[in-house]
Amino acid sequence: MPVSTDPAAADFPSSRVRTRAEAEAYVASVCFKHGPPRLLGVELEWTVHHSDDPTRTLDPATLIAALGPHAPRSLVPDSPRRKLPNGSVLTVEPGGQVEVSSLPTTSMRSLFEVVAADAEYVERRLRAAGLVLGDQGTDPWRYPNRILQVPRYAAMETAFDRIGLDGRLMMCSTAGVQVCLDAGEPDRVAARWAALHALGPVMMAMFANSPMLFGERTGWVSTRTRALLRTDPPRTRPGPITVDPAAAKRVLDTAIVCQRRDNGDWTAPSGVSFAEWIHGALPDRPTRDDLDYHLSTVFPPVRPRGYFEVRYLDAQPGQDWMLPAGALIALFREESTVDKVLSVASPAVGRWVHAARHGLRDRALARTARDVFGLACRHLQDLDSPPGLPDRLADFVAKRLAAADER
C-alpha cells in the first residue's frame, strides 16, 4: 500500500551496506514513510481443508487445480498469476493457506465490497474442487505440513526448527486478518504507532479465534498468537511504545534466517544478526537488496512497511473480518480519535500474553474493551462503512463481553 513524501530508497546506495548507521537510515526511510492518512488495505488469510475430511493433509494438486490461473508462482512456477476478478491479489502461504490482498483505496465501503467479492470467488473455486476455507486462526486438527517448496521457506523452517515447533505452526497452520493503515504525517507517526500497540491486546482479546490445535483445546484463546510469540521472540514480539518508533535497531539486531544464493540453498548460519553481517561475520558484505529481504522476514504484531501492517488479529468466520477491520479504520481515520485511543486503551497496554491466553476473561482487558469499542462504534457511524456494520460490531462486542462475564 504505497505512501510517499519521505526520503526515497533511491537516495541510498544500492551497492554494499557499509555501516550500521547507513543501514538504520535506510530502514527508517522505507519503513516509516510520511503522508496524510488516506489509504486503507486488508489482507485475509484462511487455512484450506478437504470438504469431505478437514483433518486430511491438504493435497497440493487439488489446491493448484482449484486456483487455476490465479495460483502464485511460489506454488506453480509458470502460472500466469492473474489477479482476482475485482483486482485483489491471491497468494499462498507455506502450508497452503490462501490469502486475498486488496489494492489500496481511500473508501472503506469500496474496500470491503471488493475484498468480500473476491473472497467469495475464491471460496467458490475451492468448493468446486472439494475444498473449504477454515474459520479459525489456527488449523484445529492437522500437523504443520509445508507445501511451498521454495528456498525462502526451507531456510526459515530450518532456522525456526532450532527453537521449536512453533515456527512451523506459524508458517503452515495459522491464518489472520491484516489491516493496513497509513503511517501519517511526521508529527503524528509516533502517536499512531503507540496507539496501534496500545490497542493490540484489546483487539486480540475481542477477536481471539484459535482455541484448538491437533484436535484439542490448548488453554489459549489465541493459539495463533502463542505460536507467533514463540516462533522467534526477537523477530515476532511486539514493538515498544516509544517516542521514536523507527525500530531500525531492532531490525538490524535480529538474526537473518535467509541468505540468498544461486544454488538454491538459502540456509543462514545460526544467530548471525544483520548488523553482524554488515561488520563482517559472513564472507560477503550485504547489499541493500539483502536488507530489503531481511525486512520481509521480521514480522512483529505491527509491522512498518512504509505504512503500518496490523498483524495481531486471528482469522474470523465468514465476513466477520469486517468487524475488526472496520474498528481499526474508524479509530485511525481522524487524529483526534487516535489521541483518544491512547488514553482509553492505556489500562491494557502490554497485556499481550494475557490477551492471547485469557482473552476477555482478563478483567482489565474486558473493562478497556467496553470503552475502546464504544469509541469505535461511534466513529464507525460517521464513515462510509457497509450498511449495518456499526450495529453488527456493537452486537458482536456485547455478546463477547456477556459470554466472558458468565465464565
Side-chain angles (χ1 to χ4, degrees):
M1 194 176 76
V3 287
S4 60
T5 73
D6 258 15
D11 293 341
F12 293 85
S14 59
S15 57
R16 303 290 171 183
V17 180
R18 297 162 297 186
T19 67
R20 178 174 181 132
E22 179 183 291
E24 288 186 4
Y26 178 74
V27 170
S29 76
V30 298
C31 288
F32 291 88
K33 295 181 179 178
H34 303 149
R38 298 184 307 107
L39 297 176
L40 313 167
V42 295
E43 301 173 18
L44 308 179
E45 297 173 338
W46 300 270
T47 57
V48 177
H49 306 264
H50 292 280
S51 55
D52 61 345
D53 181 6
T55 69
R56 178 155 59 98
T57 300
L58 180 63
D59 175 25
T62 304
L63 180 61
I64 289 170
L67 299 181
H70 307 292
R73 290 178 183 161
S74 58
L75 185 63
V76 182
D78 60 350
S79 171
R81 197 177 53 180
R82 293 180 191 163
K83 289 185 177 180
L84 297 173
N86 293 279
S88 305
V89 176
L90 181 109
T91 53
V92 172
E93 296 298 308
Q97 309 99 304
V98 295
E99 178 179 81
V100 173
S101 301
S102 74
L103 298 176
T105 183
T106 58
S107 165
M108 187 197 311
R109 181 174 297 189
S110 174
L111 172 68
F112 285 12
E113 289 175 350
V114 163
V115 173
D118 279 341
E120 288 173 4
Y121 171 80
V122 171
E123 188 173 17
R124 288 196 302 272
R125 291 192 67 106
L126 292 172
R127 192 183 307 120
L131 299 173
V132 293
L133 297 176
D135 60 4
Q136 296 187 32
T138 54
D139 183 329
W141 302 289
R142 300 173 302 196
Y143 191 84
N145 178 54
R146 181 168 58 88
I147 70 169
L148 293 187
Q149 304 303 321
V150 294
R152 171 188 174 95
Y153 295 124
M156 291 175 70
E157 189 175 80
T158 297
F160 297 150
D161 279 353
R162 297 172 186 140
I163 301 171
L165 179 63
D166 290 282
R168 289 196 185 213
L169 289 171
M170 180 275 297
M171 291 171 58
C172 302
S173 302
T174 63
V177 174
Q178 299 175 21
V179 181
C180 302
L181 303 168
D182 277 333
E185 299 285 14
D187 63 328
R188 295 297 303 171
V189 171
R192 291 170 70 84
W193 172 265
L196 281 172
H197 282 81
L199 271 179
V202 177
M203 294 291 294
M204 184 191 302
M206 180 59 67
F207 296 101
N209 184 39
S210 51
M212 294 183 64
L213 201 62
F214 310 144
E216 297 181 353
R217 289 192 170 271
T218 63
W220 293 64
V221 295
S222 179
T223 306
R224 170 183 170 271
T225 300
R226 186 187 74 171
L228 285 163
L229 294 177
R230 293 179 177 180
T231 290
D232 182 3
R235 187 179 314 279
T236 59
R237 70 175 185 267
I241 298 179
T242 60
V243 175
D244 176 11
K249 291 181 174 62
R250 171 183 180 170
V251 167
L252 296 181
D253 289 335
T254 299
I256 61 172
V257 291
C258 299
Q259 188 177 11
R260 295 174 297 169
R261 304 180 185 90
D262 292 336
N263 65 4
D265 179 6
W266 292 11
T267 306
S270 179
V272 176
S273 70
F274 200 91
E276 290 169 333
W277 190 3
I278 293 172
H279 295 143
L282 302 176
D284 295 321
R285 299 293 174 90
T287 65
R288 195 183 73 189
D289 287 343
D290 291 322
L291 182 49
D292 282 334
Y293 204 85
H294 177 62
L295 283 168
S296 75
T297 69
V298 179
F299 29 85
V302 182
R303 180 161 68 169
R305 302 186 63 186
Y307 53 92
F308 292 147
E309 182 183 78
V310 182
R311 302 172 56 89
Y312 45 60
L313 296 164
D314 284 355
Q316 302 296 302
Q319 293 191 351
D320 280 358
W321 59 266
M322 294 185 184
L323 303 179
L328 280 168
I329 291 169
L331 293 172
F332 284 82
R333 207 57 165 165
E334 300 292 338
E335 295 304 322
S336 58
T337 313
V338 174
D339 292 333
K340 293 177 185 175
V341 167
L342 273 169
S343 174
V344 169
S346 61
V349 165
R351 299 182 75 83
W352 297 92
V353 174
H354 297 78
R357 186 156 199 170
H358 305 295
L360 296 172
R361 296 196 305 271
D362 181 291
R363 295 294 89 195
L365 289 168
R367 287 192 299 269
T368 305
R370 286 186 171 85
D371 295 333
V372 164
F373 288 100
L375 182 66
C377 288
R378 289 194 297 275
H379 286 279
L380 192 58
Q381 293 173 347
D382 299 330
L383 300 180
D384 64 333
S385 61
L389 187 61
D391 290 338
R392 282 178 55 198
L393 177 61
D395 289 346
F396 180 94
V397 169
K399 289 176 181 176
R400 282 293 178 97
L401 289 171
D405 285 341
E406 293 173 0
R407 293 172 185 165

